[in-house]
Amino acid sequence: MYGYMGKILRINLSNGSIKVDDLDFELAKKFVGGRGLGTKMLYDEIDPKVDALSPENKIIFMNGPMSGTPTPTGGRYMVITKSPLSGTIASSNSGGTWGARLKYAGYDGIIVEGKADKPVYVEIHEENVEIKDASHVWGKLVGETTDILQKDKDTNVLAIGPGGEKLSRMAAVMNERDRAAGRSGVGAVMGSKNLKAIVVSGKKKVNLFNEAKTRDNNKEATNKLKENPVTGQGLPTYGTAVLVNVINANGVLPTHNFQKGFFDAADDISGETLAEKYLLRKDPCHRCPIACGRYTKTDKVEGGGPEYETIWAFGSDCGVKDLEAIIEANHWCNQYGVDTISVGATLAAAMELKEKGLLEDVDFEGHALDFGNAEAMVYWTKKIGAREGFGDKMAEGSLRLCKEYGREDLSMTVKGLELPAYDPRGVQGHGLTYATSNRGGCHVRGYMISPEILGLPDKLDRLELKDKPLWVKIFQDLTAFIDSTGLCLFTSFALGADDYANIYNAIVGTEWSGDDVLKAGERIYNIERQFNLEAGIMPDQDTLPKRLLEEEMPEGPSKGHIHHLDKLLPEYYELRGWDAQGFPTKERLADLGL
Amino acid sequence: MVKVKLYAYLRDNRGKEVDFEYRTGLTIADIAKELELDLSDVSIIICDGKDDVPEKMKDVEVKEDSLVHFFPPVAGG
Ligand code: SF4
């Protein structure tokens, strides 16, 4: 078996059993790995209707065939489980080195079942796997937990913080301190199982089908990444935050909880300002020549990040123009182990509830959650992490918060997941990906910003509807494949489906074409859809917040526009081979081998 | 006055913002030339709400109060 280690670790925390399953190679090839294979395993092993925070849910940490290989960016892994935030399939991706290290320990993935009766962590050194008492690290922040559990530089620590322990529906799984499988509340599932951390070490090697060809492929891919102006210059120099200005100049930088799409102080919180004032160094993931990761320092904190999405969530969405405060909020999210996008977006929703006079009964402890109040934004970020005071309510996420105050319409979420940093009223294709993403409001399931705003690979008119459903489908399918390989999605700014097929073939020993890559992606997309349907997430949830469908953008370069989902969705369903109501047809599922 | 905004490394030696005296027929290509900006280093140009690649934008004539943004190839997510 090439590319894969051939072994899946199965840990049952209820009875303490540790087993090693053989990987089914045919199944692996069908679903690739990572997001695809993990979803297939979860779908086969749990009832999608299960309560996400019950012992019956499982959490799977899954590598792809390229994780742990010398392929550029080959170190990413996926966390797959049922989401406690949205009730959909959750698959959260993280970089750093932990995923690659799990391969070096000899495993493609880990399935965690049941629930421990007291806090535990798992320690893996190749064949030696132990479930250990975690009482000395329970309650501790992610940084301190990592310091205590990391024995040497060849050990990698994945952990949850107090956010996960206290079952915040926005809790992240963290690795190497500040790399996050951030979205969908996956950290709370670990917390619900009393699982604090997974510590991994090992020195095994991944066998490659054709080493010489892999070397050539890697050289070619690295050259393409270096020569491409985005992956070779823009991302390495400024990180993802370089987007702040271009998104704002198009009038789609959500501001004040999506009440508008233009932020006057965008340059104050931009990647350019970050690089000029706070950047200490680049902070790349395992074997990554792009190195978009930032390591920053202010007078108060230092550490990894912040990313563009984080800057937007705590910045323009909360009306905050103080970049130091944003860096601090990012730091506390990493320490408490909570998702920066969902936390920032929930704070913004609370600010709008307060602005509308709906939070009269809330004790703000002298830190009024008003748009633009940077100090209160940081204060309540910590309180969400610790689930204290009003922070306890906000830790349930924007949808539950807004519902409690009778204003579900103010929650900028899709299927319960907080929307990220692009207002779909000015980017029509991107709005369709939000509405149809299998994990809810997400930007990295089909990043239409690339063609609609950045002109990659071609520039599309961002307001045009024609052909957008087809673009969305292709982007979603390609992304599903990339997410399943162990490579970073950012490679797709420079590489295409044929490049991925070549890399996969040389590592695994297949003879796939670019079309096979897209078909595998489509298969993965459909099994996620099936999981959601069986979980009770029906096609009527393929929608956007009412504000974005009905209220015209009030000002800025996208003024006067709404999102035209009703005009895009029927064609999208048809292209997917789903019926007019949005259910996959038997024929299409059979065609995909499902 | 035509306002021009520059981003990322296009700011090097040029600053963030430059004001241009308006004249009839002034195009985006003229502005780029005066800024010693090679359009092959520019990925996206936005002028008064219209955004496109340099080939499509270079011949656009600006207005007296136009705002023009020049972006190099950037991305993120
Ligand atoms: S491009 Fe950025 S996120 Fe992707 S692997 Fe490299 S450093 Fe990590």
Side-chain angles (χ1 to χ4, degrees):
Chain A
M1 200 178 294
Y2 300 100
Y4 305 92
M5 304 308 283
K7 290 186 167 39
I8 306 280
L9 196 56
R10 183 180 292 276
I11 297 171
N12 187 306
L13 294 175
S14 295
N15 61 22
S17 75
I18 297 168
K19 286 192 212 141
V20 178
D21 294 347
D22 288 333
L23 178 72
D24 177 343
F25 190 44
E26 289 312 310
L27 194 76
K29 280 193 290 183
K30 203 165 161 187
F31 292 93
V32 187
R35 176 174 153 193
L37 187 58
T39 301
K40 169 67 177 156
M41 288 172 166
L42 190 77
Y43 181 68
D44 287 347
E45 294 197 14
I46 72 163
D47 174 358
K49 286 192 182 57
V50 79
D51 174 355
L53 296 177
S54 72
E56 286 72 41
N57 193 9
K58 298 189 185 187
I59 185 164
I60 302 179
F61 304 85
M62 187 58 71
N63 269 313
M66 293 159 204
S67 323
T69 71
T71 311
T73 79
R76 303 189 69 93
Y77 71 97
M78 273 280 176
V79 183
I80 301 109
T81 186
K82 178 171 174 173
S83 164
L85 183 62
S86 60
T88 64
I89 185 80
S91 47
S92 281
N93 189 278
S94 182
T97 305
W98 189 89
R101 187 74 69 194
L102 184 64
K103 283 285 261 305
Y104 304 151
Y107 305 100
D108 295 304
I110 308 172
I111 302 173
V112 179
E113 311 170 334
K115 176 184 180 176
D117 54 11
K118 60 178 176 36
V120 295
Y121 73 101
V122 172
E123 195 168 81
I124 302 168
H125 178 72
E126 302 187 351
E127 281 75 29
N128 299 320
V129 181
E130 276 183 85
I131 301 171
K132 294 183 154 181
D133 176 32
S135 50
H136 62 306
V137 282
W138 197 254
K140 295 212 184 310
L141 298 175
V142 169
E144 198 181 348
T145 303
T146 307
D147 285 342
I148 294 169
L149 297 180
Q150 179 155 17
K151 290 195 185 121
D152 52 50
K153 65 174 184 37
D154 295 327
T155 303
N156 289 81
V157 178
L158 169 154
I160 56 168
E165 293 173 16
K166 295 184 178 180
L167 311 183
S168 163
R169 290 179 198 272
M170 306 189 286
V173 167
M174 308 296 298
N175 57 285
E176 284 89 71
R177 295 163 195 278
D178 41 33
R179 291 284 167 187
R183 306 233 64 199
S184 307
V186 291
V189 178
M190 268 182 78
S192 74
K193 299 189 175 310
N194 272 326
L195 177 61
K196 176 72 177 173
I198 306 178
V199 181
V200 184
S201 61
K203 296 224 157 129
K204 293 187 191 240
K205 214 173 150 268
V206 185
N207 290 324
L208 308 175
F209 174 71
N210 186 335
E211 295 216 12
K213 180 82 177 102
T214 298
R215 251 195 316 274
D216 290 347
N217 285 343
N218 292 348
K219 208 184 275 170
E220 195 184 323
T222 306
N223 285 341
K224 282 189 181 175
L225 293 170
K226 292 261 183 223
E227 279 160 18
N228 180 291
V230 167
T231 48
Q233 193 170 4
L235 278 169
T237 313
Y238 297 102
T240 53
V242 74
L243 284 177
V244 172
N245 279 318
V246 68
I247 301 301
N248 195 49
N250 280 290
V252 292
L253 185 72
T255 301
H256 290 202
N257 197 36
F258 286 76
Q259 292 186 75
K260 47 190 185 162
F262 188 79
F263 189 49
D264 289 329
D267 203 55
D268 293 350
I269 60 170
S270 65
E272 288 91 332
T273 304
L274 188 75
E276 187 189 318
K277 294 191 173 163
Y278 304 108
L279 182 67
L280 273 192
R281 56 180 158 83
K282 294 179 213 168
D283 190 18
C285 301
H286 183 73
R287 284 191 184 275
C288 178
I290 307 171
C292 78
R294 310 285 90 181
Y295 191 92
T296 54
K297 187 177 185 323
T298 69
D299 288 343
K300 290 185 182 155
V301 296
E302 82 171 71
E307 300 291 337
Y308 165 66
E309 297 292 333
T310 307
I311 289 181
W312 155 76
F314 293 119
S316 62
D317 207 30
C318 290
V320 167
K321 58 181 180 189
D322 176 347
L323 190 49
E324 283 200 28
I326 294 168
I327 294 171
E328 201 185 340
N330 174 67
H331 169 82
W332 290 117
C333 284
N334 289 347
Q335 286 286 4
Y336 281 97
V338 282
D339 174 32
T340 58
I341 298 180
S342 287
V343 171
T346 302
L347 289 170
M351 286 173 179
E352 189 174 354
L353 286 169
K354 180 168 183 297
E355 187 180 65
K356 296 203 158 31
L358 296 159
L359 301 184
E360 302 290 318
D361 62 328
V362 172
D363 176 8
F364 285 106
E365 304 173 25
H367 308 271
L369 269 176
D370 296 317
F371 285 115
N373 186 344
E375 183 279 328
M377 180 276 286
V378 175
Y379 180 86
W380 287 106
T381 294
K382 277 165 106 173
K383 291 282 179 178
I384 287 175
R387 290 203 81 140
E388 288 169 1
F390 185 53
D392 184 44
K393 249 181 210 170
M394 288 193 284
E396 291 286 290
S398 147
L399 182 61
R400 287 171 174 84
L401 178 77
C402 292
K403 264 188 184 165
E404 181 161 346
Y405 291 94
R407 290 298 301 269
E408 189 176 334
D409 60 311
L410 298 185
S411 172
M412 295 296 118
T413 48
V414 170
K415 302 183 177 83
L417 184 66
E418 288 75 12
L419 286 174
Y422 316 88
D423 192 313
R425 286 174 286 194
V427 257
Q428 296 290 323
H430 198 66
L432 179 61
T433 70
Y434 281 168
T436 57
S437 150
N438 286 323
R439 69 172 184 179
C442 167
H443 62 297
V444 282
R445 287 297 182 265
Y447 190 62
M448 283 296 290
I449 295 303
S450 195
E452 291 188 292
I453 288 195
L454 309 172
L456 303 166
D458 299 317
K459 178 75 178 80
L460 303 180
D461 181 336
R462 62 193 173 86
L463 298 167
E464 177 66 54
L465 305 182
K466 196 172 163 299
D467 297 333
K468 292 290 172 66
L470 180 61
W471 275 84
V472 167
K473 177 184 178 293
I474 293 171
F475 265 50
Q476 288 176 335
D477 292 346
L478 182 61
T479 302
F481 176 83
I482 298 169
D483 279 349
S484 303
T485 60
L487 297 185
C488 179
L489 186 56
F490 288 173
T491 55
S492 64
F493 291 125
L495 309 180
D498 291 336
D499 296 304
Y500 293 113
N502 286 338
I503 294 169
Y504 186 67
N505 291 339
I507 288 177
V508 176
T510 42
E511 289 180 7
W512 284 19
S513 64
D515 286 345
D516 295 322
V517 157
L518 290 175
K519 187 151 188 187
E522 185 170 7
R523 183 179 301 125
I524 293 161
Y525 215 82
N526 276 270
I527 196 163
E528 290 177 337
R529 179 79 169 182
Q530 285 301 103
F531 181 98
N532 284 351
L533 291 170
E534 288 176 34
I537 310 292
M538 290 296 140
D540 62 351
Q541 293 197 44
D542 294 341
T543 189
L544 293 172
K546 209 164 139 228
R547 165 172 290 163
L548 310 178
L549 298 171
E550 293 178 5
E551 290 174 27
E552 288 182 2
M553 185 74 93
E555 57 183 71
S558 290
K559 184 173 173 188
H561 295 288
I562 56 167
H563 192 269
H564 297 287
L565 185 64
D566 55 335
K567 298 200 176 91
L568 294 167
L569 207 50
E571 187 184 338
Y572 172 84
Y573 284 165
E574 200 183 322
L575 286 164
R576 280 237 166 265
W578 298 349
D579 67 19
Q581 279 70 47
F583 291 93
T585 57
K586 281 207 176 74
E587 298 75 38
R588 179 53 62 101
L589 293 179
D591 178 47
L592 293 168
L594 291 172
Chain B
M1 199 65 86
V2 179
K3 198 176 271 310
V4 176
K5 291 194 171 197
L6 299 152
Y7 300 95
Y9 42 85
L10 300 184
R11 287 179 175 177
D12 295 350
N13 305 320
R14 296 187 188 94
K16 289 183 188 180
E17 225 176 278
V18 188
D19 285 343
F20 267 78
E21 205 65 59
Y22 174 76
R23 59 172 194 265
T24 315
L26 181 70
T27 64
I28 287 180
D30 296 333
I31 294 174
K33 201 168 168 203
E34 284 181 45
L35 285 169
E36 295 181 16
L37 203 57
D38 189 338
L39 283 180
S40 65
D41 292 335
V42 176
S43 169
I44 292 293
I45 298 170
I46 306 176
C47 177
D48 303 331
K50 183 172 167 33
D51 65 308
D52 215 325
V53 291
E55 303 87 86
K56 299 265 177 67
M57 296 293 286
K58 66 181 178 11
D59 297 328
V60 169
E61 287 185 18
V62 297
K63 297 196 293 276
E64 225 172 327
D65 58 349
S66 279
L67 169 61
V68 187
H69 305 263
F70 287 96
F71 288 94
V74 293

